[in-house]
Structure formats: structure tokens, C-alpha cells
Amino acid sequence: MLSACDVDPLPIAVIVIAADGQITTINERARELFGERTVGRLYAAVLRQPDVVERIERALAHERMAPVRYIAVGAGRDVVYDAHIVPIEDESGGVMVSFVDATHKEEAGQMRSDFVANVSHELRTPLTALSGFIETLRGPARDDPEARDRFLDIMEQEAGRMNRLVSDLLSLSRVEDMERMRPTAPQDLRDVLHCAQSSLQRQARARGVTVDLVSENDGGIAVSGDRDQLIQVFTNLIENAIKYGKKAGIVTIRVTRGQAVPGMRAPVICVAVEDQGDGIAPHHIGRLTERFYRVDNHRSREMGGTGLGLAIVKHIVKRHRGRLRIQSEKGKGSCFTVCLPEHS
Ligand SMILES: Nc1ncnc2c1ncn2[C@@H]1O[C@H](COP(=O)(O)OP(=O)(O)O)[C@@H](O)[C@H]1O
Ligand SMILES: [Mg+2]
């Protein structure tokens, strides 16, 4: 028979139940979960959740049982456990039940289903618009060339939105897949920034925004990285600064070297993208890198945003073992800083 000494050091909660249903052994972790005075009591009175009780009953009757969910009601929040029930291979006829914390699994499952719901919702909006316009073009607008052109323009925009959404989703999944593979090739950071800047020239001009690149270092600056992904990071940050910053304002890209960054070993290069927009309220800042999180849904959609840009930025920066810092003050503008390890 298992004794408390055998199971006490285990890092998970374990109880042993005899054939007559009495709890005979309980380890330290299980005591935290079920209380001190548990040995000698009937398991049904301690565990109390019908599914768990039923499975244990059947296991005591020598049936093999799959794990069952046990929910411990906590003060702050519930903790979900997978209860594994295994027969003890001796003449006692008892079973051992171990409780493995399944909160992470549960949360990951919840995140996955939230994500699918979000993607479906984001795709449905332009799809509904497209279906509506097709119907209108077939019906009332059939003989109205002016309306037809207008509707076709909107349809093009909606199709573009779907396209961007699908590309961003693909980028996100690709970046997540590669996250553990750290890129090591040297990349010229100024070249990366020039590339990002010039691809946004038209957008900047349309909003009357000037994009200035300020670097304290005239020579080349090399970081270890993946060129396309770095361009993607800075394109998104500069594009956000143009879109959400001040109309006809200035966006400054500031490159600095040698700053001490918590959690990073020197030498480090930091690129700050600053705008003169309205800024972001503090309670939003921590959530900006969540997928589909937007401060102003309507504005983001109007600007053609998918809400995935900063989530992609976060993953790419993480893959590069870098840091992303967001600073903003209402009414004073925002500053998104990416720090990357310098190539040595
Ligand atoms: N420079 C900025 N100034 C103010 N708000 C910003 C800035 N950059 C990002 N945001 C906010 O963060 C949200 C998420 O950004 P992002 O993930 O790039 O999505 P998108 O640009 O597609 O809307 C934006 O919708 C916007 O509300
Ligand atoms: Mg964006």
C-alpha cells in the first residue's frame, strides 16, 4: 500500500482511496486542496463533484477510467484540474487519484475559440458588405452606371480588407511557428528603416505627415535578424504613427545605441517611433499587442487596419530576443520603442 511518505514529495495533489471508499493517504498538495482532516473520510464526502465521484466509483469496481475534470472553487478564481484515476496494483483494490492543474490547457482552449470567433467576425463584416453590394448591383443599381462605379470601389476596398486580414493571419501564424528559431544573420538597420519608410511615402503624403529619421550614428548599424520581419515591424509601427498620429504632423524615427535595457544584454540598439497624436489612455496600453485589440474599432477599420499589426510586431520582436516598449500620454503623442541585440 502507498504511504504518505511515498506521495508527499510529489508536486501534484494525490489521494489514495481504499476499496471501501475511505481515503487512506493524502499528500501535502492534496491537503492544501481538500483540507487537513481528510484521511479516514469517504471520498464522496470530500470530492463531492458528481462526475468525479461516479468515475472513482467505477474505477473501484475495476473499470479503466479516462481523466475527469475537477474544479476547485478558489477565492479569486476557479482552478481546473484533470483528475487521473488509476487502480493500485495490489490486493487492496484501491485507487490513486492525482490532480493535475489544467488551467493553462483550459485557457489555451478558450483563447483558441475566442480567436476563431474573432476571425469569423472580422471576415464576416466585409463579406456581408460584398454580398449586399452584389445584390444591389443585380437589382436597383443595374442600370445606374454612377452607382455601379461607386459600389465597385467599395467592393474593392472590402475585398482588400479581407486580403489584408488573411495576409496578417498568415504572417502571425508563420511568426509564431518560427518563434523559437532565433535569426542570426546581420542586417543593416538603416537600410531596413529606409525600406519601411519609403513603402509608406504615399500614405504619409496623403495625411500630410513628415517622417524623419534621426540617428546618432552615421555609420552602418547591424542587428541580428530576419530582414523581411524587421521591415514588417517598422512598417507597422511607422504606419500606425502616420494613421493614428497627428494629421500633417511629424513622425520621428530615432535610432539610439548603448541604452541599458532591462532583461537584455548589451550592446543594444533601440529604434523609437514617435508621433504627435492624441496618445493612448494607460488602461489600453497593456492590451495593444493582443490580437484584434483596438482602441477605436471604427477608426482602425476606417484606416484599413486589421488589429493584428502589433500582435505580429510583438511576436517578431520576441523571436529576435528584443523588447517592445510602449509609452504614451493622452494629448502628447505616443512612442513605440523596439530594442534589438546588436550584431556582434
Ligand atoms: N501610434 C499610435 N497612436 C495611437 N494609437 C495607436 C498607435 N499605434 C497603435 N494604436 C492603437 O493600437 C491598435 C492596434 O494597432 P495594430 O495592431 O497595428 O492594429 P491596426 O493598425 O490594424 O488597427 C490600433 O487600432 C490603435 O487603436
Ligand atoms: Mg497597424
Side-chain angles (χ1 to χ4, degrees):
M1 179 61 104
L2 283 172
S3 72
C5 305
D6 299 325
V7 292
D8 237 4
L10 291 177
I12 51 171
V14 173
I15 59 175
V16 177
I17 301 167
D20 64 0
Q22 273 195 25
I23 295 176
T24 54
T25 307
I26 177 164
N27 76 345
E28 185 61 41
R29 281 295 181 90
R31 266 195 294 276
E32 287 164 17
L33 199 57
F34 303 112
E36 286 296 333
R37 287 142 61 110
T38 315
V39 172
R41 291 178 66 194
L42 287 174
Y43 74 88
V46 174
L47 298 173
R48 294 214 296 246
Q49 292 177 18
D51 276 356
V52 184
V53 171
E54 189 214 314
R55 298 273 179 117
I56 294 175
E57 194 177 297
R58 286 168 59 186
L60 286 170
H62 308 293
E63 271 186 66
R64 281 201 92 76
M65 283 296 121
V68 58
R69 189 130 295 192
Y70 178 83
I71 300 167
V73 182
R77 60 187 191 138
D78 295 352
V79 182
V80 181
Y81 292 90
D82 281 338
H84 296 260
I85 309 162
V86 287
I88 296 169
E89 303 288 342
D90 64 7
E91 67 287 350
S92 74
V95 295
M96 183 171 82
V97 190
S98 54
F99 298 81
V100 179
D101 191 339
T103 316
H104 287 306
K105 212 164 83 182
E106 189 87 343
E107 279 171 358
Q110 184 61 42
M111 270 170 70
R112 240 190 322 270
S113 61
D114 286 354
F115 180 61
V116 171
N118 275 330
V119 171
S120 313
H121 175 75
E122 296 286 336
L123 278 171
R124 180 163 287 157
T125 315
L127 256 179
T128 308
L130 280 175
S131 313
F133 285 120
I134 290 170
E135 217 162 279
T136 317
L137 284 173
R138 281 213 174 113
R142 183 198 289 268
D143 302 314
D144 182 346
E146 221 174 274
R148 200 167 53 208
D149 284 348
R150 211 174 52 241
F151 291 155
L152 283 172
D153 279 348
I154 304 175
M155 287 169 79
E156 194 178 12
Q157 279 171 27
E158 296 296 336
R161 178 195 303 284
M162 288 172 70
N163 222 335
R164 276 195 300 278
L165 186 63
V166 173
S167 327
D168 278 358
L169 285 169
L170 281 175
S171 287
L172 194 59
S173 94
R174 213 170 300 138
V175 175
E176 278 178 336
D177 275 351
M178 292 163 114
E179 207 164 85
R180 271 184 289 271
M181 288 182 280
R182 183 182 181 174
T184 51
Q187 306 296 344
D188 180 348
L189 192 59
R190 283 150 77 75
D191 178 47
V192 164
L193 292 173
H194 277 304
C195 221
Q197 191 184 359
S198 57
S199 70
L200 292 164
Q201 247 167 11
R202 223 165 45 123
Q203 229 168 313
R205 210 172 305 129
R207 268 180 74 80
V209 170
T210 311
V211 181
D212 276 344
L213 177 59
V214 183
S215 170
E216 60 180 25
N217 189 304
D218 286 337
I221 301 176
V223 293
S224 308
D226 174 318
R227 185 181 147 84
D228 288 345
Q229 288 193 343
L230 290 176
I231 293 177
Q232 209 173 349
V233 164
F234 295 110
T235 305
N236 187 55
L237 295 183
I238 302 167
E239 186 186 26
N240 280 352
I242 296 171
K243 289 195 303 191
Y244 307 114
K246 194 165 113 191
K247 214 170 175 178
I250 297 172
V251 169
T252 311
I253 309 167
R254 214 179 287 282
V255 184
T256 50
R257 176 185 223 168
Q259 234 172 294
V261 179
M264 283 184 76
R265 236 189 296 151
V268 169
I269 309 240
C270 294
V271 181
V273 180
E274 300 167 17
D275 65 55
Q276 305 169 314
D278 294 336
I280 307 160
H283 64 279
H284 289 300
I285 291 184
R287 301 196 58 188
L288 290 184
T289 56
E290 287 175 20
R291 299 151 176 194
F292 298 117
Y293 192 86
R294 299 152 163 133
V295 175
D296 181 341
N297 262 320
H298 180 71
R299 177 129 184 249
S300 162
R301 289 218 173 84
E302 206 175 55
M303 299 275 192
T306 60
L308 291 174
L310 289 176
I312 296 172
V313 166
K314 179 180 81 177
H315 284 286
I316 297 179
V317 171
K318 198 167 160 206
R319 181 181 172 217
H320 284 72
R321 309 292 188 266
R323 291 281 180 282
L324 169 70
R325 195 171 55 214
I326 306 173
Q327 292 158 298
S328 188
E329 215 175 305
K330 271 305 250 179
K332 288 202 177 154
S334 311
C335 178
F336 288 69
T337 308
V338 171
C339 297
L340 296 164
E342 187 170 352
H343 184 78
S344 49

